[in-house]
Structure formats: structure tokens, C-alpha cells
Amino acid sequence: QVQVVESGGGLVQPGGSLRLSCVASGFTSGRTFSSLPMNWYRQAPGKEREWVAGIYSLSGRTKYDDSVEGRFVVSRDDSKNTLYLQMNDLKPDDTAVYYCNGPSGRLPWGQGTQVTVSS
């Protein structure tokens, strides 16, 4: 079964930066990490999980929610089955547990990684 493990979260001051990683494993020869569009989601306390950013499998084109565009950069290293999220100019509203997954949450959800932006 495919699994994802998120890491890289932590406590950071407003305006600071963090880089999140998501390592996926358990792919078969029929389905590979490189074949899947991958996404970052986040869930703030008391809120529903929301989509943050995504990256296509072939073109590598990226898309972002308006709230993070210009501040976050999503990338991937298919040789390492790893998805990244470079988070810059962090704001308190970015505080959430961050998760990675395929389109529409196709893969099992991981534990997520906590990002807290506070002075």
C-alpha cells in the first residue's frame, strides 16, 4: 500500500521560512510516484482540510491557492519519491497541519506535519 510521510514542520516567526517534505513509498511498477499529480493540503484547528498547492506529473506545472501564491513553492524529486513545499514569508494564518496526497486525496492520509507561525 502507498504511504506518505510528511516532515519539516515546526515553530517559526511571522516572515520566516520552512521547507516541508513528503516521502511516498509502496508504489508498484504499474503506478509510480512520478505518474501522479501531487498536492499539499492543510488543516487549521476547527477547520476543514483545504488544498494549498499542487504539481503536475508530466509538465511539472504548479498551482497554488490564492492565499499562498507568491510565497510558497511546490516541487518534486521523482528519483526520491519526494514532494516539497518551500514556505516563505509565513503568516499566522498559515498555522495548520500540512498533509500531502494525490488528487482528491486518492492516497491514504499521513500523519501530517505541524506548522506554527507565531511571535
Side-chain angles (χ1 to χ4, degrees):
Q1 294 176 304
V2 177
Q3 298 181 98
V4 295
V5 179
E6 301 93 345
S7 63
L11 175 64
V12 64
Q13 296 185 146
S17 298
L18 286 172
R19 193 187 196 200
L20 308 183
S21 297
C22 167
V23 179
S25 62
F27 291 98
T28 66
S29 60
R31 177 186 285 184
T32 63
F33 177 80
S34 63
S35 72
L36 292 177
M38 291 297 294
N39 302 272
W40 286 99
Y41 302 82
R42 66 186 181 187
Q43 187 170 24
K47 303 290 185 179
E48 293 291 321
R49 183 182 286 119
E50 64 178 355
W51 176 84
V52 175
I55 183 168
Y56 289 114
S57 60
L58 295 178
S59 67
R61 300 283 173 82
T62 58
K63 292 183 179 294
Y64 302 91
D65 182 78
D66 289 344
S67 66
V68 306
E69 189 163 11
R71 299 187 297 119
F72 292 9
V73 179
V74 61
S75 61
R76 64 194 298 161
D77 185 343
D78 291 340
S79 70
K80 298 179 180 179
N81 285 357
T82 302
L83 178 74
Y84 301 100
L85 185 67
Q86 178 65 47
M87 310 166 68
N88 303 311
D89 191 24
L90 283 161
K91 303 176 180 180
D93 284 349
D94 295 319
T95 296
V97 178
Y98 284 71
Y99 302 87
C100 65
N101 212 304
S104 301
R106 179 173 295 183
L107 305 179
W109 295 100
Q111 293 289 308
T113 185
Q114 176 71 52
V115 172
T116 303
V117 184
S118 176
S119 297

